[in-house]
Amino acid sequence: MGIHERLGLSEVVNACGTYTPLGVSRSSAAVAAAVAAALPEFFVLEELGDRASEAIAHATGAEAGAVVHCTAAATTIAVAAAMAGSDPERIAALPDTTGMRHRVVLPAGHAVDYGQSNLQAVRLAGADVVLAGTEERCGVDELTAVLAGAEVACLLLVSSRLVRPGEPVDLAAAVRAAHGHGVPVIIDGAAQFPRVGELLATGADAVLISGQKYLASPTAGLVLGTRQLVRAVRAQDKGIGRGMKPTKEAIVGVLAALDEWQAADREEWVAREAAKVADFVRAAGRLPGISAREWADPAGLPVSRVVLSVSDGVDAAALAAKLRAGRPPIFVMTDRAGSGELVLELVSLADEEVRTILERLDAELPR
Ligand SMILES: *Cc1c(COP(=O)(O)O)cnc(C)c1O
């Protein structure tokens, strides 16, 4: 009996990508085995943390790394680290920031909601958010004006499909502007693990990654960064980071996932996912009442999504509801349903699941 049946749970087809409400990703058998091996054991957690730092550095080229509970936690903890450093009294005082630089600058278009507003993740550390520019545009000039203000602790940037669709912020130029004012920079790249080298190359002091997204580890927030900032991140364990700590099994799972990532043939992976998308677009395009196209990732991930546009007379939201209500329930992205479009990500899906989606679309579409 499978785990879904045993617990009385729905077995779903997730075409929403690394989507938190559906369990985010599928870990490999090797990662699952590493987690299972860790659970019955004791460890010196400090040693495990050191091993994680070395492995993250080796896999990504960052100076050092730390594992925390998730990226939402990593945002709060990295901001805390930027304010309190490794000073035990300051760490114990947070979220009271008396005597600390406590303003966190963020381009207005980088205020995002991944199920929680990232502004709340910042404020949770005790910091105040200062938005720069407008949602449509935040150039280096606008950013510089805000960075020059008093009490700035760090600049937070976000690399995600969730950022506002205005003119993109030049991340490397923003990092240079912040460093020009002696301000450290944190980049939230939660769902951007395949692009981590590019994000580190901006010169940011820390890049935050969700292990459970494209790395397919157990839920974990990876902080990749300078030795100094990573040390300060780990030091928050004795403060507000306590409730956001990683589990031993998550750290061991991250180590296994990093090993697999390094051993994998990435070009082959990209080619395989591209073929999956192209085949799906071709097959879906033959169905009545919809057209299909490939949608390159706006944040620059090397995998595309599929956009299904419904014809007049077909209601995209109703079609998504039918897919969700059937067996197995199929979840697709409905953010653009108002404009007659459904979006699908196929990355974690097996061929059989992709076939199921096509069959169910065929059955649900009017003819
Ligand atoms: C998913 C996501 C988060 C939250 O990550 P968790 O690991 O679930 O806490 C934060 N920022 C962005 C841009 C995300 O996509």
Side-chain angles (χ1 to χ4, degrees):
M1 198 191 277
I3 189 161
H4 296 88
E5 200 184 338
R6 188 149 35 85
L7 299 177
L9 302 171
S10 316
E11 209 164 334
V12 303
V13 175
N14 169 25
C16 296
T18 55
Y19 185 51
T20 303
L22 294 179
V24 200
S25 64
R26 286 173 154 153
S27 293
S28 69
V31 170
V35 168
L39 279 168
E41 300 296 336
F42 293 121
F43 298 97
V44 178
L45 264 289
E46 194 65 19
E47 280 178 11
L48 204 47
D50 291 345
R51 212 57 80 240
S53 180
E54 291 155 16
I56 290 170
H58 185 254
T60 66
E63 256 179 48
V67 181
V68 299
H69 184 73
C70 64
T71 295
T75 303
T76 304
I77 295 173
V79 165
M83 295 190 298
S86 298
D87 181 289
E89 278 176 32
R90 288 182 163 209
I91 289 169
L94 290 180
D96 179 346
T97 61
T98 306
M100 304 178 211
R101 293 179 175 211
H102 63 276
R103 297 210 167 98
V104 174
V105 177
L106 195 73
H110 288 202
V112 299
D113 193 315
Y114 43 77
Q116 170 200 33
S117 157
N118 64 340
L119 304 188
Q120 185 185 41
V122 170
R123 287 190 291 108
L124 204 48
D128 291 327
V129 176
V130 187
L131 295 178
T134 65
E135 287 193 356
E136 290 72 40
R137 185 176 186 282
C138 176
V140 170
D141 39 345
E142 279 103 336
L143 210 47
T144 301
V146 182
L147 287 166
E151 306 293 347
V152 175
C154 64
L155 169 65
L156 178 64
L157 302 168
V158 180
S159 178
S160 165
R161 303 178 188 102
L162 298 172
V163 302
R164 295 300 133 86
E167 195 180 313
V169 174
D170 179 338
L171 299 182
V175 171
R176 279 195 300 277
H179 286 175
H181 287 86
V183 171
V185 183
I186 299 158
I187 300 182
D188 171 358
Q192 301 295 317
F193 185 70
R195 289 178 57 234
V196 72
E198 205 182 305
L199 296 178
L200 285 167
T202 61
D205 299 82
V207 174
L208 316 180
I209 298 286
S210 295
Q212 75 277 17
K213 290 183 177 171
Y214 290 101
L215 183 59
S217 75
T219 294
L222 277 56
V223 182
L224 290 55
T226 61
R227 273 186 204 90
Q228 190 190 350
L229 190 55
V230 166
R231 193 181 315 120
V233 161
R234 288 178 68 180
Q236 310 304 312
D237 269 4
K238 299 208 161 52
I240 59 168
R242 170 70 192 203
M244 308 178 188
K245 64 183 174 298
T247 59
K248 60 186 178 183
E249 64 274 20
I251 301 176
V252 169
V254 164
L255 291 172
L258 287 172
D259 275 348
E260 277 203 328
W261 174 264
Q262 286 169 279
D265 181 341
R266 222 110 61 228
E267 277 175 31
E268 198 264 341
W269 177 72
V270 169
R272 186 158 27 92
E273 294 303 329
K276 207 198 285 183
V277 167
D279 289 350
F280 187 90
V281 165
R282 214 172 305 117
R286 288 197 287 262
L287 299 175
I290 51 170
S291 61
R293 68 185 156 84
E294 189 178 323
W295 181 33
D297 185 275
L301 268 188
V303 282
S304 298
R305 292 176 162 188
V306 175
V307 180
L308 299 178
S309 307
V310 302
S311 326
D312 291 346
V314 180
D315 180 336
L319 176 59
K322 280 185 193 160
L323 293 172
R324 212 165 41 235
R327 275 177 69 87
I330 296 171
F331 286 77
V332 302
M333 288 172 267
T334 53
D335 326 39
R336 295 157 160 247
S339 342
E341 292 182 333
L342 299 177
V343 180
L344 286 76
E345 181 171 316
L346 308 177
V347 172
S348 57
L349 298 182
D351 293 346
E352 195 188 313
E353 292 172 303
V354 174
R355 266 196 305 277
T356 301
I357 298 173
L358 288 165
E359 283 162 15
R360 287 280 303 289
L361 279 170
D362 193 20
E364 304 293 1
L365 283 163
R367 51 194 68 235

Short mmCIF file of all heavy atoms in Angstrom, two decimals, residues 18 20 24 69-75 112-116 118 158-163 188-192 208-213 219-222, ligand 1:
data_model
loop_
_atom_site.label_atom_id
_atom_site.label_comp_id
_atom_site.label_asym_id
_atom_site.label_seq_id
_atom_site.Cartn_x
_atom_site.Cartn_y
_atom_site.Cartn_z
N THR A 18 7.72 23.94 -8.59
CA THR A 18 8.19 23.78 -7.20
C THR A 18 7.24 24.54 -6.28
O THR A 18 7.57 25.60 -5.75
CB THR A 18 9.63 24.32 -7.05
OG1 THR A 18 9.64 25.67 -7.52
CG2 THR A 18 10.61 23.48 -7.86
N THR A 20 4.92 25.02 -3.08
CA THR A 20 4.94 24.62 -1.67
C THR A 20 3.67 23.87 -1.23
O THR A 20 3.79 22.84 -0.56
CB THR A 20 5.20 25.86 -0.79
OG1 THR A 20 6.44 26.43 -1.22
CG2 THR A 20 5.30 25.50 0.69
N VAL A 24 6.34 20.59 -3.16
CA VAL A 24 7.51 21.22 -3.78
C VAL A 24 8.28 20.40 -4.82
O VAL A 24 8.41 20.81 -5.97
CB VAL A 24 8.53 21.74 -2.73
CG1 VAL A 24 9.44 22.79 -3.36
CG2 VAL A 24 7.84 22.32 -1.51
N HIS A 69 16.13 26.49 8.12
CA HIS A 69 14.93 25.69 7.85
C HIS A 69 14.41 25.80 6.42
O HIS A 69 13.97 24.81 5.84
CB HIS A 69 13.82 25.99 8.84
CG HIS A 69 12.66 25.08 8.60
ND1 HIS A 69 12.70 23.75 8.92
CD2 HIS A 69 11.50 25.27 7.95
CE1 HIS A 69 11.60 23.18 8.52
NE2 HIS A 69 10.85 24.07 7.92
N CYS A 70 14.38 27.01 5.87
CA CYS A 70 13.84 27.23 4.52
C CYS A 70 14.27 28.62 4.08
O CYS A 70 14.96 29.31 4.83
CB CYS A 70 12.32 27.08 4.52
SG CYS A 70 11.48 28.32 5.53
N THR A 71 13.86 29.05 2.91
CA THR A 71 14.31 30.36 2.45
C THR A 71 13.60 31.51 3.16
O THR A 71 14.19 32.57 3.37
CB THR A 71 14.17 30.48 0.92
OG1 THR A 71 15.06 29.54 0.33
CG2 THR A 71 14.55 31.86 0.42
N ALA A 72 12.34 31.32 3.55
CA ALA A 72 11.67 32.36 4.33
C ALA A 72 12.47 32.59 5.62
O ALA A 72 12.74 33.73 6.02
CB ALA A 72 10.24 31.94 4.64
N ALA A 73 12.89 31.49 6.25
CA ALA A 73 13.72 31.58 7.46
C ALA A 73 15.07 32.21 7.12
O ALA A 73 15.57 33.05 7.87
CB ALA A 73 13.93 30.19 8.05
N ALA A 74 15.63 31.82 5.98
CA ALA A 74 16.95 32.35 5.59
C ALA A 74 16.89 33.86 5.42
O ALA A 74 17.85 34.56 5.76
CB ALA A 74 17.41 31.68 4.30
N THR A 75 15.78 34.37 4.90
CA THR A 75 15.63 35.82 4.74
C THR A 75 15.68 36.50 6.11
O THR A 75 16.44 37.44 6.32
CB THR A 75 14.30 36.15 4.03
OG1 THR A 75 14.28 35.47 2.77
CG2 THR A 75 14.13 37.63 3.81
N VAL A 112 7.78 40.72 -2.86
CA VAL A 112 7.06 39.60 -3.47
C VAL A 112 6.30 38.81 -2.40
O VAL A 112 6.53 38.98 -1.21
CB VAL A 112 8.02 38.64 -4.23
CG1 VAL A 112 8.73 39.37 -5.36
CG2 VAL A 112 9.02 37.99 -3.29
N ASP A 113 5.40 37.98 -2.88
CA ASP A 113 4.61 37.14 -1.98
C ASP A 113 4.70 35.70 -2.47
O ASP A 113 4.20 35.37 -3.54
CB ASP A 113 3.16 37.62 -1.96
CG ASP A 113 2.38 36.98 -0.82
OD1 ASP A 113 2.52 35.75 -0.61
OD2 ASP A 113 1.63 37.70 -0.15
N TYR A 114 5.39 34.87 -1.70
CA TYR A 114 5.53 33.44 -2.06
C TYR A 114 4.62 32.60 -1.17
O TYR A 114 4.88 31.44 -0.91
CB TYR A 114 6.99 33.01 -1.91
CG TYR A 114 7.66 33.53 -0.66
CD1 TYR A 114 7.41 32.97 0.59
CD2 TYR A 114 8.51 34.64 -0.71
CE1 TYR A 114 7.98 33.48 1.74
CE2 TYR A 114 9.09 35.15 0.44
CZ TYR A 114 8.82 34.56 1.66
OH TYR A 114 9.38 35.08 2.80
N GLY A 115 3.55 33.24 -0.69
CA GLY A 115 2.68 32.60 0.30
C GLY A 115 2.76 33.37 1.60
O GLY A 115 1.90 33.28 2.47
N GLN A 116 3.84 34.13 1.73
CA GLN A 116 4.07 35.10 2.80
C GLN A 116 4.71 36.29 2.08
O GLN A 116 5.45 36.09 1.11
CB GLN A 116 5.08 34.53 3.82
CG GLN A 116 5.58 35.54 4.85
CD GLN A 116 6.91 35.13 5.52
OE1 GLN A 116 7.77 34.50 4.89
NE2 GLN A 116 7.07 35.48 6.77
N ASN A 118 7.55 38.81 1.55
CA ASN A 118 8.95 38.79 2.01
C ASN A 118 9.25 39.99 2.91
O ASN A 118 10.21 39.96 3.67
CB ASN A 118 9.95 38.68 0.84
CG ASN A 118 9.92 39.86 -0.12
OD1 ASN A 118 8.96 40.61 -0.17
ND2 ASN A 118 10.99 40.01 -0.88
N VAL A 158 15.70 40.16 -5.06
CA VAL A 158 15.01 38.90 -5.30
C VAL A 158 15.18 38.53 -6.77
O VAL A 158 14.95 39.36 -7.65
CB VAL A 158 13.51 39.02 -4.95
CG1 VAL A 158 12.79 37.69 -5.21
CG2 VAL A 158 13.32 39.46 -3.50
N SER A 159 15.60 37.30 -7.02
CA SER A 159 15.64 36.80 -8.40
C SER A 159 14.58 35.71 -8.50
O SER A 159 14.75 34.62 -7.97
CB SER A 159 17.02 36.24 -8.72
OG SER A 159 17.00 35.73 -10.04
N SER A 160 13.48 36.03 -9.16
CA SER A 160 12.32 35.12 -9.16
C SER A 160 11.35 35.54 -10.24
O SER A 160 11.33 36.69 -10.66
CB SER A 160 11.63 35.21 -7.80
OG SER A 160 10.34 34.64 -7.86
N ARG A 161 10.53 34.59 -10.66
CA ARG A 161 9.41 34.93 -11.56
C ARG A 161 8.42 35.83 -10.84
O ARG A 161 7.56 36.42 -11.48
CB ARG A 161 8.64 33.67 -11.96
CG ARG A 161 9.45 32.61 -12.63
CD ARG A 161 8.53 31.42 -12.91
NE ARG A 161 9.29 30.29 -13.39
CZ ARG A 161 9.61 29.25 -12.64
NH1 ARG A 161 9.23 29.19 -11.39
NH2 ARG A 161 10.31 28.27 -13.14
N LEU A 162 8.49 35.88 -9.51
CA LEU A 162 7.51 36.65 -8.75
C LEU A 162 7.78 38.16 -8.78
O LEU A 162 6.92 38.94 -8.41
CB LEU A 162 7.49 36.20 -7.29
CG LEU A 162 7.09 34.74 -7.02
CD1 LEU A 162 7.31 34.40 -5.54
CD2 LEU A 162 5.64 34.50 -7.40
N VAL A 163 9.00 38.59 -9.19
CA VAL A 163 9.26 40.03 -9.18
C VAL A 163 8.38 40.71 -10.21
O VAL A 163 7.97 40.11 -11.20
CB VAL A 163 10.76 40.39 -9.38
CG1 VAL A 163 11.64 39.76 -8.33
CG2 VAL A 163 11.22 40.04 -10.78
N ASP A 188 17.69 36.81 -2.63
CA ASP A 188 16.78 35.67 -2.49
C ASP A 188 16.65 35.05 -3.88
O ASP A 188 16.02 35.62 -4.78
CB ASP A 188 15.42 36.17 -1.97
CG ASP A 188 14.34 35.09 -2.00
OD1 ASP A 188 14.62 33.96 -2.47
OD2 ASP A 188 13.22 35.39 -1.57
N GLY A 189 17.26 33.87 -4.05
CA GLY A 189 17.15 33.13 -5.31
C GLY A 189 16.55 31.77 -5.04
O GLY A 189 17.02 30.75 -5.54
N ALA A 190 15.48 31.75 -4.23
CA ALA A 190 14.93 30.50 -3.69
C ALA A 190 14.76 29.41 -4.75
O ALA A 190 15.15 28.26 -4.55
CB ALA A 190 13.60 30.77 -3.00
N ALA A 191 14.16 29.78 -5.89
CA ALA A 191 13.86 28.77 -6.91
C ALA A 191 14.87 28.84 -8.06
O ALA A 191 14.57 28.45 -9.18
CB ALA A 191 12.44 28.98 -7.44
N GLN A 192 16.07 29.34 -7.79
CA GLN A 192 17.04 29.58 -8.86
C GLN A 192 18.31 28.76 -8.70
O GLN A 192 19.36 29.16 -9.19
CB GLN A 192 17.38 31.09 -8.89
CG GLN A 192 16.17 31.98 -9.11
CD GLN A 192 15.55 31.79 -10.47
OE1 GLN A 192 16.26 31.68 -11.46
NE2 GLN A 192 14.24 31.71 -10.54
N LEU A 208 20.38 33.15 -1.21
CA LEU A 208 19.52 32.23 -0.47
C LEU A 208 18.81 31.30 -1.45
O LEU A 208 18.25 31.75 -2.45
CB LEU A 208 18.46 33.02 0.33
CG LEU A 208 18.96 34.25 1.09
CD1 LEU A 208 17.80 34.93 1.83
CD2 LEU A 208 20.08 33.88 2.06
N ILE A 209 18.83 30.00 -1.14
CA ILE A 209 18.27 28.99 -2.04
C ILE A 209 17.38 28.04 -1.24
O ILE A 209 17.75 27.63 -0.14
CB ILE A 209 19.41 28.15 -2.67
CG1 ILE A 209 20.37 29.03 -3.51
CG2 ILE A 209 18.87 26.97 -3.48
CD1 ILE A 209 19.83 29.50 -4.85
N SER A 210 16.23 27.67 -1.80
CA SER A 210 15.40 26.63 -1.18
C SER A 210 15.90 25.28 -1.66
O SER A 210 15.77 24.95 -2.85
CB SER A 210 13.93 26.78 -1.58
OG SER A 210 13.39 27.97 -1.08
N GLY A 211 16.44 24.47 -0.75
CA GLY A 211 16.94 23.16 -1.14
C GLY A 211 15.86 22.29 -1.74
O GLY A 211 16.09 21.50 -2.66
N GLN A 212 14.62 22.44 -1.22
CA GLN A 212 13.52 21.57 -1.67
C GLN A 212 12.98 21.95 -3.04
O GLN A 212 12.13 21.26 -3.57
CB GLN A 212 12.39 21.59 -0.62
CG GLN A 212 11.53 22.84 -0.58
CD GLN A 212 12.13 23.98 0.23
OE1 GLN A 212 13.31 24.00 0.52
NE2 GLN A 212 11.30 24.94 0.62
N LYS A 213 13.43 23.05 -3.62
CA LYS A 213 12.97 23.39 -4.96
C LYS A 213 13.83 22.62 -5.97
O LYS A 213 13.81 21.40 -5.96
CB LYS A 213 12.92 24.91 -5.13
CG LYS A 213 11.79 25.50 -4.26
CD LYS A 213 11.60 26.98 -4.39
CE LYS A 213 10.41 27.45 -3.54
NZ LYS A 213 10.31 28.92 -3.47
N THR A 219 13.19 19.84 2.80
CA THR A 219 13.01 21.28 3.01
C THR A 219 14.20 21.86 3.76
O THR A 219 14.54 21.40 4.85
CB THR A 219 11.71 21.54 3.79
OG1 THR A 219 10.62 21.14 2.97
CG2 THR A 219 11.56 23.02 4.13
N ALA A 220 14.83 22.87 3.16
CA ALA A 220 16.02 23.49 3.74
C ALA A 220 16.28 24.81 3.05
O ALA A 220 16.04 24.95 1.85
CB ALA A 220 17.23 22.58 3.56
N GLY A 221 16.76 25.79 3.80
CA GLY A 221 17.21 27.05 3.21
C GLY A 221 18.72 27.04 3.18
O GLY A 221 19.36 26.85 4.21
N LEU A 222 19.30 27.21 2.00
CA LEU A 222 20.76 27.26 1.89
C LEU A 222 21.19 28.72 1.83
O LEU A 222 20.65 29.49 1.03
CB LEU A 222 21.23 26.55 0.62
CG LEU A 222 21.38 25.02 0.66
CD1 LEU A 222 20.10 24.34 1.10
CD2 LEU A 222 21.81 24.50 -0.71
C1 LIG B 1 9.68 29.74 -2.55
C2 LIG B 1 10.23 31.10 -2.32
C3 LIG B 1 10.52 31.55 -1.03
C4 LIG B 1 10.20 30.74 0.19
O1 LIG B 1 10.99 29.61 0.22
P1 LIG B 1 10.76 28.52 1.38
O2 LIG B 1 11.98 27.67 1.26
O3 LIG B 1 9.49 27.81 1.06
O4 LIG B 1 10.67 29.26 2.66
C5 LIG B 1 11.11 32.78 -0.88
N1 LIG B 1 11.39 33.56 -1.94
C6 LIG B 1 11.11 33.17 -3.20
C7 LIG B 1 11.46 34.06 -4.34
C8 LIG B 1 10.51 31.91 -3.43
O5 LIG B 1 10.25 31.52 -4.68
#
